[in-house]
Amino acid sequence: ITVASALTALTAVGVAAVAITTYALSVQNQHARRYHLLPALDAVEDLNRALVDQESGVRGYIITADPLFLVPYERGVTEQAEAMEVLDESLLLDYADLYALVTAVTDTASVWHDDIAQPEVDLVSEGRRDQAIAMVSTGRGLAVFDRLGTEVETLRSAIERERDVSRNALSL
């Protein structure tokens, strides 16, 4: 065996080792990315449920002025915050494109809550139910809530697509 052939063999082994390591790290990264998205998907479902609970609670409270309808509203506010925290933890650092969608959902949810739902609740609580009904009659709350629902669905779909891309990369 000559020195040149020994060096060639060692180089080939080194290149193969680097290729195998690179592939293994790639598979490991894709695996981690795929399973990192599962909590985000669960959080989107929790978020959607929390928003629907809030909307139902506000609507029931405006119709009846019964404080029992505030229970799902208040629970929904808490559950929304918890779901958003999971989305932050799951997406903020590694998924800038998905996190931009989270930001859009957060912004629209804030508008709906701060400018529509909470003022309507406050009006009913202050005995000004007719003014709350007048707010509802403008249709603004429905339009914002519908936009919010669309944004949540867009986020869910985008997370599922990213998960599928990671799954497909693992099967290669």
Side-chain angles (χ1 to χ4, degrees):
I1 295 182
T2 66
V3 172
S5 62
L7 287 176
T8 302
L10 283 175
T11 301
V13 169
V15 168
V18 167
I20 290 170
T21 301
T22 302
Y23 176 76
L25 289 173
S26 174
V27 168
Q28 181 181 12
N29 183 41
Q30 290 299 325
H31 183 74
R33 287 178 62 86
R34 177 180 173 209
Y35 287 101
H36 199 66
L37 292 169
L38 296 178
L41 277 173
D42 289 343
V44 170
E45 296 305 320
D46 293 344
L47 172 63
N48 190 56
R49 194 171 27 261
L51 292 169
V52 170
D53 283 352
Q54 289 176 64
E55 197 273 337
S56 297
V58 169
R59 183 180 42 215
Y61 186 58
I62 291 169
I63 292 169
T64 67
D66 184 343
L68 284 176
F69 282 96
L70 292 178
V71 172
Y73 172 70
E74 292 165 353
R75 183 181 61 238
V77 169
T78 300
E79 291 173 355
Q80 175 188 343
E82 292 167 355
M84 296 307 292
E85 187 176 319
V86 171
L87 288 167
D88 285 350
E89 292 169 1
S90 299
L91 304 176
L92 180 61
L93 297 178
D94 295 324
Y95 301 94
D97 54 333
L98 295 176
Y99 195 74
L101 297 173
V102 172
T103 301
V105 168
T106 301
D107 293 347
T108 303
S110 293
V111 168
W112 181 79
H113 183 268
D114 297 345
D115 298 347
I116 298 163
Q118 192 58 53
E120 290 171 351
V121 167
D122 291 344
L123 286 169
V124 173
S125 296
E126 295 164 2
R128 300 186 294 165
R129 188 167 156 254
D130 290 342
Q131 289 176 333
I133 291 170
M135 268 185 84
V136 171
S137 298
T138 68
R140 181 168 182 253
L142 179 61
V144 172
F145 197 80
D146 284 349
R147 185 173 79 229
L148 180 56
T150 299
E151 290 172 355
V152 170
E153 178 58 27
T154 299
L155 174 61
R156 185 191 60 73
S157 295
I159 293 170
E160 285 179 344
R161 275 192 308 277
E162 182 66 31
R163 180 206 56 204
D164 292 345
V165 166
S166 295
R167 179 187 304 147
N168 292 339
L170 279 173
S171 64
L172 295 177

